[in-house]
Amino acid sequence: MNTHTRRVFLKQAGKGLLGTSAAFAGLAATPAVAFSGDYRALICIFLKGGLDHADTLLPYDEPGYALLRQARPSLMASYGVSGSRSRSALLPLNPSNQSRFGSRRFALPPQLAGLKDLFEAGDLAIVGNVGPLLAPTDRNSFEAESVALPARLFSHNDQQSTWQALDVEGAQLGWGGRFVDAAVRGNPALNPKYAAITTGELDVFLASQSTRQFSAAAGGSQRDLNMVAIDYLLESEPRRAALREAIVAFYQRSEFGHRAFMKRDYAQISAQGIRNVRDYIAATVDQNLEFPQTTLGAQLKTIANAMAANQALGTPRQVFYATLGGFDTHSAQSSQLPILQQELADALVAFQRALQALGLWQNTTVFTGSDFGRTVIDNGDGTDHGWGGHHFVAGGAVRGRRIYGSVPSADLGSASYTSRSGRLIPSVAIEQYAGTLGRWFGLTPQDLDGALPNRRRFGPTDLGFLS
């Protein structure tokens, strides 16, 4: 068997063993080292399907609002029953940098009331018109094909990968994982086993060279070997607990006398994966935090518990990944999107309160990502795949109550849109967005150049939304 085939086998083995998913840090165990000092955590909330930016950050000035109604008459009319997108129902924002937008004003829908409160308190910022780019692009250069464009634009899988790894589906390393690689290189005391934790899916964002992403069960608990945790598979008390421990001990053996190296590798991976899960369970204590009983609420509760255990886990730097799906709103957008927005706001507000109570909010930056924005033109009942979109960044170090980037009006004749589809052309590259996050995370310019190879093609390389 050649080296490539063996690597593929080891990767697949690490994903599938006994429900422990990707909870493996490779073959070499790294002892947890208590760390007293500067702790920092990045939390990516990836909104799968494509968040409609124009139905999230809305114009509040009368001319801007009229342009939006003109661009998407059917969609805006479909909100008539609830009235949640009528101008009177919107929640106007009061950014401290309002002067850069002149007479234009912006607002959030009522479902994002919690995010408005965070914004006004200075704990949240909005970064406008972020998306994948290979070079600065506008309508003229797009139509003339005079600049290189990202591959497979408007494709869900490819653009999710491009957002997370700066390349289409099949990319091997995510920029979140590359941040972890750089942190591990720069801090020998950092335990890589729990530096990259996903509570959502095993996407490419946290894929790295130094460690495998650890999959933590959402909801604040962690299953200890799913197969043996199911009581009816074991005999009744009092032997049940003893049998479970015997099975776990068997799988924790790293040497079964196999001569074939594939079998030996699999045994070692299995043993290390089980130890990693059990060490995580021992270190993370349920902090009895109050979170909404939703998909995202459960994930952020798990992340808060893991952050509270950062010293026990030996992780002065951590990157987390959570997901919320359902944003592919080609139809029924007026009924679907408000529910998702409410879930996002409620979960993020609960997260902020929990981390304030834990004394960790100043050490935290939460940010959103999504496949793409959506077309400013409606399709009668929803919107279609777009390109650029607006995103939220929250945390104790955020220079909040500001809107960064650009927020073009719904003027389809402007150079901000592709001509026929009403797709917003990004003015902020993902590298600029990610680079700002990475600088706060503690990465050097050289680290950032390695993680984000194209970042110097765009200016500024740091958007300034983090202190």
Side-chain angles (χ1 to χ4, degrees):
M1 175 180 291
N2 60 35
T3 303
H4 171 73
T5 304
R6 188 181 186 214
R7 281 201 306 266
V8 171
F9 167 77
L10 294 175
K11 182 178 180 181
Q12 295 305 315
K15 288 183 177 180
L17 176 72
L18 299 176
T20 58
S21 190
F24 305 95
L27 303 181
T30 303
V33 178
F35 180 86
S36 59
D38 181 30
Y39 169 72
R40 296 195 179 191
L42 287 173
I43 296 93
C44 174
I45 301 176
F46 202 84
L47 308 174
K48 290 199 166 184
L51 172 68
D52 185 0
H53 57 280
D55 207 349
T56 298
L57 179 64
L58 291 93
Y60 191 69
D61 59 285
E62 291 186 0
Y65 185 79
L67 278 174
L68 183 65
R69 288 192 64 89
Q70 181 179 344
R72 43 175 58 180
S74 298
L75 178 58
M76 294 295 281
S78 68
Y79 281 106
V81 175
S82 67
S84 67
R85 296 302 187 267
S86 65
R87 186 169 175 272
S88 61
L90 300 179
L91 308 175
L93 298 173
N94 299 290
S96 60
N97 60 346
Q98 173 62 50
S99 60
R100 70 185 289 255
F101 298 102
S103 61
R104 298 184 63 211
R105 297 290 305 280
F106 306 100
L108 298 178
Q111 292 78 17
L112 295 180
L115 298 194
K116 173 182 162 58
D117 291 344
L118 290 178
F119 182 88
E120 302 297 346
D123 285 326
L124 182 141
I126 296 168
V127 185
N129 200 13
V130 186
L133 291 169
L134 296 180
T137 305
D138 61 15
R139 183 174 186 160
N140 292 332
S141 58
F142 175 81
E143 292 186 346
E145 299 181 354
S146 60
V147 294
L149 297 174
R152 303 175 195 169
L153 284 171
F154 324 126
S155 155
H156 280 296
N157 291 349
D158 291 300
Q159 293 312 300
Q160 287 176 12
S161 179
T162 299
W163 249 94
Q164 297 178 27
L166 308 175
D167 202 356
V168 295
E169 187 175 23
Q172 298 298 305
L173 298 175
W175 55 265
R178 289 176 175 175
F179 284 8
V180 171
D181 284 336
V184 170
R185 287 194 304 268
N187 190 341
L190 191 152
N191 180 1
K193 290 188 291 187
Y194 311 107
I197 296 181
T198 177
T199 58
E201 300 176 45
L202 296 176
D203 292 331
V204 71
F205 177 70
L206 290 179
S208 79
Q209 293 177 326
S210 63
T211 183
R212 298 178 189 271
Q213 53 186 305
F214 183 90
S215 182
S221 63
Q222 182 75 14
R223 282 198 170 187
D224 185 5
L225 292 175
N226 293 351
M227 186 183 80
V228 298
I230 302 172
D231 286 345
Y232 71 80
L233 293 177
L234 304 175
E235 294 186 15
S236 59
E237 295 288 5
R239 297 189 60 206
R240 182 183 296 153
L243 283 169
R244 179 179 292 115
E245 289 305 311
I247 294 171
V248 171
F250 175 79
Y251 279 110
Q252 282 186 270
R253 292 178 59 187
S254 60
E255 180 54 60
F256 288 86
H258 295 305
R259 294 182 179 180
F261 65 80
M262 280 184 60
K263 292 181 179 180
R264 290 199 306 269
D265 288 344
Y266 191 86
Q268 290 174 332
I269 289 174
S270 301
Q272 185 60 51
I274 294 167
R275 285 193 293 271
N276 290 352
V277 171
R278 300 205 117 190
D279 289 348
Y280 176 84
I281 294 168
T284 52
V285 177
D286 190 346
Q287 301 292 321
N288 296 314
L289 305 168
E290 292 188 9
F291 277 82
Q293 295 182 356
T294 60
T295 298
L296 187 58
Q299 292 180 73
L300 293 185
K301 180 178 181 180
T302 296
I303 290 171
N305 283 327
M307 291 174 63
N310 72 85
Q311 290 193 27
L313 294 173
T315 49
R317 292 290 185 273
Q318 288 181 293
V319 183
F320 295 90
Y321 179 69
T323 59
L324 179 62
F327 289 88
D328 194 20
T329 50
H330 290 285
S331 61
Q333 179 165 317
S334 62
S335 60
Q336 293 179 18
L337 185 59
I339 295 171
L340 295 169
Q341 290 173 332
Q342 190 75 58
E343 181 171 349
L344 173 64
D346 290 350
L348 190 48
V349 167
F351 191 60
Q352 188 264 354
R353 289 174 180 167
L355 293 187
Q356 286 275 29
L358 293 170
L360 291 172
W361 185 239
Q362 292 297 324
N363 308 84
T364 303
T365 298
V366 187
F367 62 97
T368 60
S370 192
D371 316 19
F372 33 61
R374 303 191 75 82
T375 57
V376 73
I377 301 170
D378 69 38
N379 62 19
D381 194 28
T383 53
D384 298 319
H385 299 179
W387 191 354
H390 311 323
H391 289 279
F392 298 110
V393 183
V398 170
R399 298 177 67 223
R401 204 179 154 213
R402 293 176 173 87
I403 300 174
Y404 298 85
S406 67
V407 186
S409 72
D411 177 7
L412 298 178
S414 77
S416 297
Y417 294 90
T418 59
S419 58
R420 292 182 294 277
S421 60
R423 289 167 168 148
L424 188 57
I425 301 171
S427 58
V428 174
I430 293 170
E431 286 88 344
Q432 294 171 279
Y433 186 61
T436 310
L437 296 164
R439 187 266 305 159
W440 172 84
F441 194 59
L443 304 190
T444 66
Q446 293 75 23
D447 291 333
L448 291 172
D449 288 341
L452 309 165
N454 294 328
R455 78 183 188 101
R456 294 189 183 274
R457 294 185 181 182
F458 307 98
T461 55
D462 192 315
L463 300 174
F465 57 75
L466 286 164
S467 59

